[in-house]
Amino acid sequence: MGPSPSLTSVSSSQQSNSQQFHSLIDTNTTLPSSPPSHQQNEQTVTSMIKELEELLIKLDRETKMKSGVENMLEVYLKDKKKTKELESQLEGYNAAIHDITKQIEHIRITVVNSGTHIIDVAKLLKTYKYTGTSFSNAITPSTLAQSRSKLRSNSTKGKKKAAIGNVSYPDDDALPIGKRLDHIIQHLEVDEWKSSNNTIKESKMEKLEILIRVLKNTTGIDAHCPRKKIILCLRRCIVSLHREIRMMGLRALRLLVEGPEDVKIMMDYHLDLFCTRALARDQDGYEPEREQTIKLIRSFIEYGGVKHINQSIVRAVVAIAEQQDCRLRNIALETLAELTILDIALTVRSGGLRVLIQALIDGQHGISEILIQSVLYVLDTPDKRCYLRPGVELETIIAPFTESNTGPNYEERLKNSAKMVTILIKSWAGIFYMSENNMRAARSVVQALRMPVPETQKLVLDMFFDVFRVKLPVDHHGFLSGRQHTIQIAPTNDTDLTKVSLRPTTVLNGPVMSNLMMAGSISPDAYTRCALNHGTTTASNSERLKMLDHHLSIIIIIFIESNILMALIDMVKSDDIYMSRKATLLIGEILQLSTRLLPSLMAIQVQSLPKLFTLASNFEDELVRHNATAALAHIDRLTRARTRYIAPHISSSNLGTFKGAERAPSRRTQEKVHEVKLKIGYAIDDTHFRQLLLDTQVLNTKDYTKWNWDSILELLQGPLLNPRRLDEAMRGKKFIKRLLAFYRPFKHQFSDMNATKGTISRYVRTGCTLISTLLSNPDGVRYLSENKLLNSIALAFSELDPLTNGGGDARTEPIFSKERMENTLTCGYFAILGTFSKYKEGVRILEKFKIFSCFYQISELKNRTDLKVAMITNLDYTLDGHPRVLLSKIMTSGYNPIRLFATQHLGVIMRQSEAEFNDWMIRLLVTQLYDTHMDVCQTAVNLLDEACEKQANLELLVKCRPSLGHLGDVGNPLLLRFLSTSTGFRYLNALGYVQKEMDDWFERGNHNYVIQLELSLARALSNTPEKKFNPFEERVDSENDFEALRPGDGLTPPHFYGELTKTEEGCHLLREKGHFKMFVDYVRNFSLNKCNETSLGQLKAVLWALGNIGATKNGLPFLEENDIVKDIIEMAESSDILSLKGTCYFVLGLIAKTQQGIELLGEIGWESVVSSNGEPEGLCVPLNLSRFLTIRNWKYKPALSSPPQLPRSSTADSISADILKNIGDMSNHILANEASKNLAKLRQSHPEYFKRVDLYYSVCQLFGSYHFRSPVRKYVLEIFDMRFTTELLQELDDIATTTAACVAFTTTNDSMLQKIPDTTTALSSIDNSTNKDVVQETLEPKIKQVGFHVAAAL
């Protein structure tokens, strides 16, 4: 672009263009002597509009060509020859664009001067996004209205004036930004309170639109114009008489905020007064203005300006948050929640915390989950916790549990309270709060189970199912209604989590893919779970800490100590069969969880259930005895079923294969059935066999609809497995011949049948069984090689060749067309061909008929993804040959979705493979590491990481020496996996990776690890079995969907130092670098008194590093040598930071991952959990619960609002003082009615006082210091008749500057309170005076229980 023309040059060019246009008309047309008629003008302008549209199309094409050349310039930056050619092309395109732009401007100006079709031209320019001039921007609704009114006039002079008014050249985009901003500011500084011009509103709105566009598209506005100057002119806009200007001014201010300095400037210019005024307006007529004000305040928070936000702004937001019917209430509550996290003192001074707690009690829909998080954040650290009154704020949340069933909203409040308690228990701050004062809060919740109100009991029971992460059995409704329950143990929740949190590949969508999966006997859901394994990480799951289980173990202890089992047993006695059975279900689940998650000493005491046995043996009450015995029977059945489930599950999971883990029992059953059928087939006599053949009806008729397909399948799976019987069926009978003929494509029998679940199950399954039976016999192999079936299928495939079209009729639809693949059983041919590929003889037959050649040709088709998926999902890859080559070809060619699907399918094959060494799979996955699509690389990394759990695969991968540097963080799991072996360590050390990565983890990696881990844990805790919803998901970009891409699995991610210490070489390097010694010193020298966010994050990072080092056999000696475990336990038991206590708890769980670690923790008083085969589970709990589950008592720190600073002039006379006194009384709802009447009288008798700026400033100060409800704010501000002229704004600045000395302000309410001593002071004085004489009552129990009496017993 060339330099911007000046105003003179622009006007001169306009004159020259006009002269050229007239000369053009003179040369091309013969003008009559008389002026042209209106019709001729219309025709001329219409033709010019058509020409304009052609030019705009041409301009768009040239612009795109220019953009393409510019992109190529970036690619060929180093190629000088190519660069010269491209630069010459670019010059040509620039010249063409310049010429076209000049022609467009010429036509545009001509049409404007004509006075007609202005609106049509504007729409045309806007349609083609023409930005060569500000003409389209200048056409605002007001200018359109002006042009319409001018068009109604026949005066040529009036039309020219309208055109000149619309062409605003000083605001042209071609001008420098500085000049444009100066011109805009000049217009915006016009004082509309003094001017009588009616066009000021339209002019200001037009300039504000341009300013907003400039601010949106420009960064570093200070380089073009001082920011203070822009803020000053925008301040005039937000005090405008017109709400549209005020709204646009607020929006421009929001776009201007880029940092805390901008917020400070705005506060210095008293924008808080005008924000308060805007938020106090009526919501019916001024909702857009209020919304823009809230957005401006949120931009203050977003850009770090909280420290500069005045108290008056927060109180204005509080006033909105108090209004139940306000549409902005939720956003106001959310703003207060953010302010609570960023500056709790400011929020408390402004009354915001009170509003948040009240919103939690009311159960504000859709936002309660977010508000409770801010309260938990405050509860976490002692410096913020002091603003909460002990036993007041949080107790109100659980109050509905202890209330009687009163009030119409009781059930809703109880539901909300149960939801809040669930969230509390899923955070460390909430757990310790529920446990303080001898678990008073937890006992209150448990006692709600004893309330004789069925609705309350049902809600609390449902809450406990959620808290303990227990999913009710699928058939629980029958059991709850009184029927006997058959126990069926379902798989773990991991698969369910996968369904929700991970989306299947797009290739799997549609009926074709569903049919393919069904034809290949693969469930689409099972395939999705298999292909998208969310649990795949660097370390095997057995080596990772199960944080969810560790978290749940302490929750179970808390509620068992709170006598939940006794309360549930009391419910078992209930006459209500539903409540009794549901309590029985929960008892059984708690006992199972305690067996799995608690140390044996504790679990034994839980399992005894003496009260339930007493009830079962009580013959006085038959109903109670029946319920108790039914409960014991259910618990016994549950325990037996769980024992039967766990034993094979553990043995099969040790195989490390998908197929062995999930299908081993069913496979053994199938093998036994096959053996029985084979024996029956050999034992059958000739007469019986012939009768079976006749029963199938195949020999009697060619009509397949009359065949008995069940008998056919029974024959194929039984008698025909006998070679003699099969030979008889092939030679003497037409049985096999007719069956194979049925499956030939061009017979249009099998291939034309509609694809349904029934037809696929019957006909495709029978076809695969037929091929399998024939291939298992040499005579059957020979028969297949001579049959026409495969030749017909090959001919059908050749129809897909776009060059030859198979020699078929173009009018007929190909057998393997997309429509037939979707709607017919054509897709079943791939399952049949896949059966051939399972046998060596079958592969030779496929080669003979050139089926693989057809497959290779199909893999080249770009628009037939369905055929490619059908091939790779149905072929068998056990044998080395064409199927593996074909899979490799599809994995490395084609579009991104099919490459990703093929890579995921390789993972399915790998999990189903029983081989210990998968050489070819590893090599294919290594190839996928270099794919151009990052999703493919990520999938390959995950699958390689999973495969490397077998040592042989890991050794092979290291030998392949893959280059992972181009993957960045995606390749880190594999690199960390390499560290766990000596071979991999030496390989990475030779590349220089180990030293570099170790330094990076020491500086940044440990801290990033903590962030990743805590986010993962938060997601895992929010995804309960019943509720797969995260309240923060609505803030996630739907395109990226980070929550779906990285769901929380509740397992610790791999840690560099943990993987490093798995080898002797790594331990030597760790000792040599001295990092461990630095970690130990940091923990021991950490001062909790000087703790801040940064140092706390660093401490957590160091603790996790120590825990991961201690989780390995080679790393634990490091902890023993430095005796650091005692320091971690001391921090867990005595720290005042609750999240830090939780971090130490998890770290101790990592140390309990080894047998030596269990022994070390046992010596210090922490008992660990081991599995039934003696393997450490990584779970440990303290024997002395009172030392760990405690919060040190804190002293409430009241954050009192600062008194208002009033100018002396506002209280100089009695009338001013009286006005302020009555306004102050308006904050008291008892005195508000009288005060409003007094203000109305004063307004009538002294209206001039309500125009004074010092009084208005004083009122705003009162609003910032005291609590006024929203209607009061609206009333008070409306009685002031403020005309914010230039002089008034200057006076406001002078008053604010000179108000240094604070004038004491006293309301009637304050004077009454002066006679009453301060409550806090009075109470504290009573405390001090009686402390020496009166024994203080404590909340400790009479008999102190220590961890299920384990410590006492020891």
Side-chain angles (χ1 to χ4, degrees):
M1 295 294 292
S4 303
S6 63
L7 182 60
T8 309
S9 62
V10 170
S11 58
S12 61
S13 64
Q14 178 184 354
Q15 292 173 2
S16 61
N17 287 336
S18 179
Q19 291 172 1
Q20 292 173 6
F21 175 65
H22 287 300
S23 63
L24 185 67
I25 294 177
D26 290 338
T27 55
N28 293 336
T29 59
T30 304
L31 296 176
S33 56
S34 61
S37 65
H38 177 71
Q39 185 177 2
Q40 289 175 336
N41 281 336
E42 281 288 323
Q43 292 175 354
T44 304
V45 173
T46 304
S47 63
M48 293 183 71
I49 290 176
K50 290 181 180 178
E51 184 183 355
L52 176 64
E53 187 172 7
E54 294 174 359
L55 288 172
L56 287 169
I57 295 172
K58 190 176 180 182
L59 177 65
D60 183 57
R61 183 172 62 252
E62 295 292 330
T63 305
K64 288 179 180 177
M65 296 293 290
K66 175 189 171 184
S67 177
V69 173
E70 288 174 345
N71 292 335
M72 292 180 67
L73 269 173
E74 294 180 4
V75 176
Y76 296 101
L77 197 59
K78 297 181 181 179
D79 190 346
K80 293 184 178 179
K81 184 178 178 181
K82 192 72 174 177
T83 302
K84 280 188 177 181
E85 295 177 4
L86 292 172
E87 285 178 348
S88 62
Q89 292 181 24
L90 189 62
E91 290 177 3
Y93 288 126
N94 283 332
I97 290 172
H98 180 68
D99 293 340
I100 296 171
T101 306
K102 285 181 65 177
Q103 295 179 50
I104 292 174
E105 288 298 308
H106 161 69
I107 295 175
R108 183 189 66 78
I109 294 170
T110 306
V111 173
V112 168
N113 290 334
S114 69
T116 59
H117 294 282
I118 297 176
I119 299 173
D120 297 336
V121 172
K123 290 180 179 178
L124 194 61
L125 295 176
K126 188 174 182 181
T127 301
Y128 287 93
K129 298 179 182 179
Y130 178 71
T131 56
T133 180
S134 65
F135 175 78
S136 56
N137 297 323
I139 298 185
T140 59
S142 58
T143 53
L144 286 175
Q146 290 178 7
S147 61
R148 287 192 187 100
S149 62
K150 297 287 173 63
L151 286 172
R152 293 191 192 101
S153 172
N154 293 325
S155 172
T156 309
K157 188 175 180 180
K159 295 175 185 177
K160 290 184 178 180
K161 284 186 179 180
I164 295 171
N166 280 330
V167 182
S168 184
Y169 285 104
D171 291 333
D172 196 295
D173 288 346
L175 282 175
I177 294 178
K179 291 185 178 180
R180 290 161 62 195
L181 289 175
D182 290 339
H183 180 76
I184 291 169
I185 291 171
Q186 181 182 354
H187 279 74
L188 295 181
E189 285 181 340
V190 175
D191 193 343
E192 60 186 272
W193 295 94
K194 296 180 179 179
S195 176
S196 58
N197 193 348
N198 296 327
T199 61
I200 287 182
K201 177 183 176 182
E202 288 76 11
S203 175
K204 280 196 172 186
M205 288 182 63
E206 179 184 341
K207 302 306 174 188
L208 280 170
E209 285 180 0
I210 299 171
L211 177 61
I212 288 170
R213 189 178 72 248
V214 170
L215 292 175
K216 286 175 68 174
N217 301 326
T218 308
T219 56
I221 202 73
D222 289 310
H224 308 286
C225 183
R227 199 173 291 264
K228 290 184 178 181
K229 189 175 180 182
I230 301 176
I231 292 174
L232 270 176
C233 79
L234 288 176
R235 184 173 72 161
R236 294 184 182 277
C237 296
I238 64 174
V239 297
S240 169
L241 182 63
H242 307 285
R243 60 182 175 184
E244 293 85 359
I245 296 178
R246 295 197 300 268
M247 187 176 67
M248 295 179 72
L250 289 166
R251 185 183 176 198
L253 281 170
R254 172 165 55 87
L255 295 173
L256 198 61
V257 178
E258 294 180 353
E261 297 80 11
D262 302 332
V263 181
K264 186 178 184 305
I265 295 171
M266 292 182 185
M267 294 300 106
D268 291 341
Y269 285 127
H270 321 299
L271 259 66
D272 54 325
L273 306 183
F274 307 116
C275 289
T276 303
R277 181 184 178 91
L279 291 177
R281 296 184 187 276
D282 186 23
Q283 62 176 335
D284 292 333
Y286 299 91
E287 191 68 9
E289 183 180 349
R290 286 154 51 89
E291 181 181 337
Q292 289 296 333
T293 308
I294 286 285
K295 287 183 177 180
L296 175 61
I297 295 170
R298 291 187 60 80
S299 70
F300 294 165
I301 300 172
E302 180 182 355
Y303 288 96
V306 175
K307 59 184 177 181
H308 301 301
I309 293 180
N310 291 340
Q311 194 172 300
S312 59
I313 287 183
V314 184
R315 285 199 178 270
V317 176
V318 168
I320 290 179
E322 287 177 327
Q323 288 184 283
Q324 297 283 345
D325 59 341
C326 181
R327 290 188 290 271
L328 298 177
R329 190 190 184 201
N330 274 11
I331 191 66
L333 286 170
E334 189 172 342
T335 304
L336 288 177
E338 293 180 25
L339 285 170
T340 302
I341 292 173
L342 297 172
D343 192 343
I344 177 63
L346 173 64
T347 310
V348 173
R349 284 199 306 270
S350 308
L353 187 61
R354 170 185 54 80
V355 177
L356 287 181
I357 298 295
Q358 186 59 45
L360 285 175
I361 297 171
D362 296 340
Q364 184 70 10
H365 179 68
I367 202 171
S368 298
E369 293 90 344
I370 300 170
L371 301 184
I372 191 67
Q373 298 293 341
S374 63
V375 177
L376 289 173
Y377 181 84
V378 173
L379 184 64
D380 185 44
T381 54
D383 60 324
K384 296 180 176 66
R385 194 186 308 142
C386 60
Y387 291 102
L388 294 174
R389 290 172 293 178
V392 178
E393 273 89 3
L394 287 171
E395 271 70 2
T396 57
I397 296 175
I398 63 171
F401 285 102
T402 56
E403 294 176 0
S404 59
N405 186 8
T406 56
N409 297 327
Y410 172 74
E411 189 172 343
E412 288 298 322
R413 288 191 293 113
L414 187 62
K415 279 183 181 179
N416 177 68
S417 184
K419 184 167 59 175
M420 294 301 102
V421 168
T422 304
I423 297 173
L424 278 175
I425 295 172
K426 291 179 181 179
S427 69
W428 282 114
I431 284 177
F432 289 112
Y433 157 71
M434 298 290 288
S435 307
E436 70 169 339
N437 294 328
N438 191 28
M439 303 178 185
R440 183 174 63 184
R443 292 179 189 276
S444 298
V445 175
V446 170
Q447 286 302 314
L449 291 172
R450 301 179 186 270
M451 295 185 67
V453 182
E455 293 80 8
T456 302
Q457 291 180 331
K458 184 177 182 301
L459 282 172
V460 178
L461 270 179
D462 291 339
M463 182 199 73
F464 278 118
F465 275 101
D466 192 2
V467 165
F468 294 131
R469 304 183 65 81
V470 173
K471 190 174 183 180
L472 286 169
V474 179
D475 54 344
H476 69 280
H477 294 290
F479 177 72
L480 295 179
S481 62
R483 293 195 296 271
Q484 187 174 355
H485 188 207
T486 303
I487 304 296
Q488 293 181 351
I489 304 297
T492 56
N493 291 333
D494 295 343
T495 55
D496 297 332
L497 203 63
T498 307
K499 289 181 186 178
V500 174
S501 56
L502 283 175
R503 296 164 296 180
T505 317
T506 53
V507 173
L508 288 175
N509 297 338
V512 179
M513 306 312 161
S514 179
N515 293 341
L516 289 173
M517 296 298 173
M518 201 180 304
S521 300
I522 302 173
S523 169
D525 292 338
Y527 180 83
T528 304
R529 292 198 303 270
C530 221
L532 303 174
N533 183 22
H534 73 285
T536 304
T537 52
T538 301
S540 63
N541 291 352
S542 60
E543 297 176 354
R544 303 164 69 197
L545 175 65
K546 299 175 182 176
M547 292 186 290
L548 287 181
D549 286 349
H550 205 196
H551 185 266
L552 188 55
S553 63
I554 202 69
I555 295 175
I556 292 173
I557 290 176
I558 290 171
F559 282 105
I560 290 177
E561 284 285 312
S562 302
N563 293 323
I564 188 173
L565 287 175
M566 295 299 102
L568 290 173
I569 290 171
D570 289 340
M571 290 185 67
V572 170
K573 298 188 299 183
S574 171
D575 297 341
D576 187 345
I577 191 68
Y578 179 89
M579 301 308 301
S580 176
R581 290 293 183 94
K582 197 161 189 177
T584 300
L585 284 175
L586 188 55
I587 291 173
E589 293 296 339
I590 292 176
L591 294 182
Q592 292 298 318
L593 288 173
S594 63
T595 304
R596 184 169 64 89
L597 302 179
L598 297 185
S600 56
L601 289 175
M602 294 183 178
I604 289 171
Q605 296 182 39
V606 176
Q607 299 289 338
S608 59
L609 295 177
K611 187 174 181 179
L612 189 58
F613 279 98
T614 303
L615 294 175
S617 58
N618 180 15
F619 290 88
E620 296 179 0
D621 192 333
E622 190 66 24
L623 179 61
V624 171
R625 187 176 69 84
H626 175 73
N627 290 344
T629 52
L632 287 172
H634 170 78
I635 293 168
D636 180 63
R637 286 194 299 271
L638 180 64
T639 305
R640 291 174 185 274
R642 192 67 58 97
T643 305
R644 287 195 302 270
Y645 170 75
I646 290 175
H649 181 74
I650 292 175
S651 61
S652 62
S653 63
N654 291 334
L655 298 174
T657 62
F658 173 83
K659 200 167 188 176
E662 291 193 11
R663 299 187 180 179
S666 60
R667 171 173 292 185
R668 287 194 296 269
T669 305
Q670 290 173 1
E671 290 176 353
K672 290 181 180 179
V673 171
H674 181 74
E675 290 176 3
V676 172
K677 288 183 176 180
L678 193 61
K679 290 179 181 178
I680 294 174
Y682 276 96
I684 197 171
D685 58 5
D686 293 344
T687 307
H688 191 191
F689 175 68
R690 292 191 188 97
Q691 185 60 43
L692 288 175
L693 285 177
L694 291 174
D695 290 344
T696 61
Q697 301 298 322
V698 175
L699 301 178
N700 299 334
T701 178
K702 292 183 179 180
D703 187 359
Y704 67 90
T705 59
K706 297 181 179 179
W707 295 352
N708 189 338
W709 288 95
D710 293 332
S711 299
I712 294 172
L713 188 62
E714 187 178 345
L715 266 175
L716 292 172
Q717 290 177 342
L720 290 181
L721 293 174
N722 187 337
R724 189 168 65 86
R725 300 297 182 194
L726 181 63
D727 182 69
E728 181 180 349
M730 287 188 301
R731 297 183 182 278
K733 311 291 183 182
K734 296 182 179 180
F735 182 77
I736 299 297
K737 181 180 179 181
R738 287 186 177 179
L739 281 179
L740 289 175
F742 165 74
Y743 286 100
R744 281 161 58 182
F746 295 106
K747 289 283 186 178
H748 293 287
Q749 295 179 341
F750 173 78
S751 59
D752 283 7
M753 297 181 71
N754 290 330
T756 63
K757 188 174 181 179
T759 55
I760 290 174
S761 175
R762 169 175 289 184
Y763 300 112
V764 177
R765 183 186 174 193
T766 304
C768 294
T769 306
L770 172 63
I771 301 301
S772 180
T773 302
L774 291 172
L775 289 174
S776 61
N777 187 286
D779 293 332
V781 172
R782 188 166 52 254
Y783 189 87
L784 278 174
S785 63
E786 297 171 356
N787 195 271
K788 299 179 182 179
L789 173 65
L790 287 180
N791 189 40
S792 301
I793 294 176
L795 284 174
F797 279 137
S798 65
E799 291 180 339
L800 299 173
D801 190 345
L803 298 178
T804 63
N805 196 23
D809 190 356
R811 292 172 296 179
T812 61
E813 185 180 13
I815 294 293
F816 289 97
S817 65
K818 284 185 179 181
E819 291 75 13
R820 291 178 65 88
M821 283 287 292
E822 180 177 345
N823 301 318
T824 68
L825 288 183
T826 301
C827 59
Y829 284 113
F830 290 94
I832 294 172
L833 295 174
T835 307
F836 276 96
S837 66
K838 294 178 181 179
Y839 300 85
K840 288 184 180 179
E841 295 80 6
V843 172
R844 293 194 191 101
I845 295 173
L846 292 177
E847 290 174 346
K848 174 184 176 182
F849 288 98
K850 298 182 180 181
I851 297 296
F852 286 116
S853 300
C854 297
F855 281 171
Y856 288 124
Q857 293 175 1
I858 289 172
S859 67
E860 298 291 339
L861 299 176
K862 294 184 178 180
N863 59 342
R864 294 308 304 271
T865 302
D866 54 340
L867 297 179
K868 296 177 187 177
V869 173
M871 286 190 297
I872 62 178
T873 53
N874 286 285
L875 287 176
D876 186 83
Y877 302 92
T878 307
L879 303 173
D880 188 12
H882 289 287
R884 294 183 183 179
V885 177
L886 188 66
L887 178 62
S888 174
K889 186 174 186 296
I890 294 177
M891 285 173 64
T892 54
S893 62
Y895 296 115
N896 293 338
I898 189 63
R899 296 204 312 274
L900 178 60
F901 177 81
T903 308
Q904 291 171 345
H905 184 70
L906 184 60
V908 177
I909 300 168
M910 184 178 68
R911 295 186 185 98
Q912 291 178 343
S913 172
E914 296 180 355
E916 290 293 327
F917 189 65
N918 299 308
D919 185 356
W920 70 278
M921 296 185 194
I922 298 298
R923 296 187 185 279
L924 280 182
L925 288 173
V926 169
T927 306
Q928 295 305 92
L929 294 175
Y930 308 104
D931 195 278
T932 55
H933 195 239
M934 192 52 67
D935 286 348
V936 177
C937 299
Q938 177 73 68
T939 304
V941 167
N942 291 340
L943 293 174
L944 281 171
D945 183 43
E946 183 180 351
C948 286
E949 290 184 9
K950 296 179 181 178
Q951 189 65 27
N953 291 336
L954 180 57
E955 295 293 339
L956 174 63
L957 182 59
V958 173
K959 287 180 183 178
C960 293
R961 302 175 69 86
S963 175
L964 302 173
H966 65 287
L967 297 178
D969 293 339
V970 173
N972 282 341
L974 276 185
L975 294 173
L976 290 179
R977 170 71 74 176
F978 288 177
L979 282 179
S980 61
T981 64
S982 297
T983 308
F985 179 87
R986 288 192 292 270
Y987 165 60
L988 294 178
N989 197 31
L991 295 176
Y993 167 81
V994 180
Q995 295 280 352
K996 176 181 173 295
E997 192 71 6
M998 194 171 187
D999 293 337
D1000 184 65
W1001 270 79
F1002 186 77
E1003 294 175 5
R1004 296 179 297 275
N1006 284 327
H1007 183 67
N1008 295 336
Y1009 177 87
V1010 175
I1011 295 173
Q1012 178 189 354
L1013 181 141
E1014 291 185 349
L1015 283 174
S1016 174
L1017 179 61
R1019 294 187 202 109
L1021 288 172
S1022 66
N1023 292 327
T1024 60
E1026 296 296 333
K1027 172 189 157 210
K1028 307 290 192 306
F1029 170 72
N1030 187 341
F1032 297 101
E1033 282 183 359
E1034 61 189 60
R1035 285 155 179 77
V1036 177
D1037 188 359
S1038 58
E1039 294 180 1
N1040 298 327
D1041 204 356
F1042 185 77
E1043 296 288 342
L1045 294 175
R1046 294 194 177 194
D1049 55 7
L1051 302 175
T1052 52
H1055 197 285
F1056 176 84
Y1057 287 99
E1059 301 297 314
L1060 188 68
T1061 51
K1062 289 181 180 179
T1063 60
E1064 293 294 337
E1065 296 88 345
C1067 292
H1068 177 72
L1069 179 63
L1070 180 62
R1071 198 180 301 275
E1072 181 183 337
K1073 295 282 285 188
H1075 287 183
F1076 186 83
K1077 181 64 176 173
M1078 296 179 190
F1079 293 156
V1080 171
D1081 293 340
Y1082 190 87
V1083 172
R1084 286 180 175 160
N1085 300 328
F1086 186 81
S1087 175
L1088 292 175
N1089 297 327
K1090 299 180 181 179
C1091 176
N1092 54 35
E1093 292 287 340
T1094 305
S1095 60
L1096 180 60
Q1098 188 63 37
L1099 176 62
K1100 289 181 179 179
V1102 169
L1103 286 170
W1104 278 109
L1106 291 174
N1108 279 280
I1109 291 172
T1112 61
K1113 294 180 180 179
N1114 295 332
L1116 188 63
F1118 283 89
L1119 277 69
E1120 290 181 305
E1121 291 170 8
N1122 293 270
D1123 201 20
I1124 190 62
V1125 179
K1126 290 182 179 178
D1127 297 275
I1128 297 175
I1129 290 178
E1130 177 63 25
M1131 191 173 288
E1133 293 178 346
S1134 62
S1135 174
D1136 286 334
I1137 302 173
L1138 306 183
S1139 61
L1140 182 60
K1141 289 166 72 76
T1143 299
C1144 294
Y1145 177 72
F1146 283 136
V1147 168
L1148 293 173
L1150 279 172
I1151 297 173
K1153 293 293 288 183
T1154 62
Q1155 193 64 44
Q1156 297 85 348
I1158 290 176
E1159 296 173 2
L1160 181 61
L1161 290 171
E1163 295 172 0
I1164 313 176
W1166 283 62
E1167 190 71 16
S1168 301
V1169 181
V1170 293
S1171 63
S1172 56
N1173 56 0
E1175 291 294 324
E1177 291 286 347
L1179 305 173
C1180 65
V1181 293
L1183 294 178
N1184 192 341
L1185 296 174
S1186 60
R1187 294 188 60 186
F1188 177 63
L1189 295 173
T1190 184
I1191 304 178
R1192 192 175 302 171
N1193 291 331
W1194 70 90
K1195 186 179 180 181
Y1196 173 60
K1197 179 182 177 182
L1200 301 177
S1201 177
S1202 55
Q1205 293 185 356
L1206 308 183
R1208 294 189 179 277
S1209 60
S1210 63
T1211 56
D1213 59 286
S1214 59
I1215 297 176
S1216 301
D1218 198 18
I1219 291 173
L1220 292 179
K1221 172 183 171 297
N1222 282 284
I1223 290 175
D1225 290 345
M1226 292 285 288
S1227 64
N1228 187 329
H1229 67 279
I1230 298 175
L1231 306 175
N1233 192 24
E1234 184 66 26
S1236 63
K1237 293 178 181 178
N1238 294 337
L1239 283 174
K1241 292 177 183 177
L1242 289 169
R1243 174 80 163 78
Q1244 188 173 6
S1245 57
H1246 304 284
E1248 68 279 1
Y1249 278 84
F1250 291 88
K1251 297 180 181 180
R1252 285 172 45 179
V1253 70
D1254 57 341
L1255 276 179
Y1256 183 80
Y1257 177 82
S1258 301
V1259 169
C1260 292
Q1261 293 298 310
L1262 292 179
F1263 281 175
S1265 297
Y1266 301 110
H1267 175 246
F1268 290 84
R1269 292 192 175 274
S1270 191
V1272 175
R1273 289 170 168 268
K1274 176 177 175 292
Y1275 173 77
V1276 171
L1277 290 176
E1278 283 182 352
I1279 63 174
F1280 278 86
D1281 183 16
M1282 303 303 299
R1283 300 172 64 85
F1284 287 102
T1285 60
T1286 306
E1287 293 77 16
L1288 200 66
L1289 289 174
Q1290 183 60 46
E1291 186 180 352
L1292 178 63
D1293 293 338
D1294 296 340
I1295 289 172
T1297 306
T1298 56
T1299 309
C1302 176
V1303 177
F1305 173 74
T1306 305
T1307 65
T1308 303
N1309 195 28
D1310 290 335
S1311 61
M1312 293 169 62
L1313 287 175
Q1314 286 175 2
K1315 299 176 183 179
I1316 304 172
D1318 182 45
T1319 311
T1320 309
T1321 310
L1323 288 175
S1324 61
S1325 63
I1326 292 171
D1327 239 2
N1328 295 332
S1329 62
T1330 59
N1331 194 27
K1332 297 179 182 179
D1333 303 325
V1334 181
V1335 179
Q1336 298 297 307
E1337 182 181 357
T1338 61
L1339 293 174
E1340 295 182 358
K1342 299 289 185 182
I1343 301 174
K1344 194 170 184 179
Q1345 296 183 4
V1346 180
F1348 299 97
H1349 305 287
V1350 173
L1354 293 175

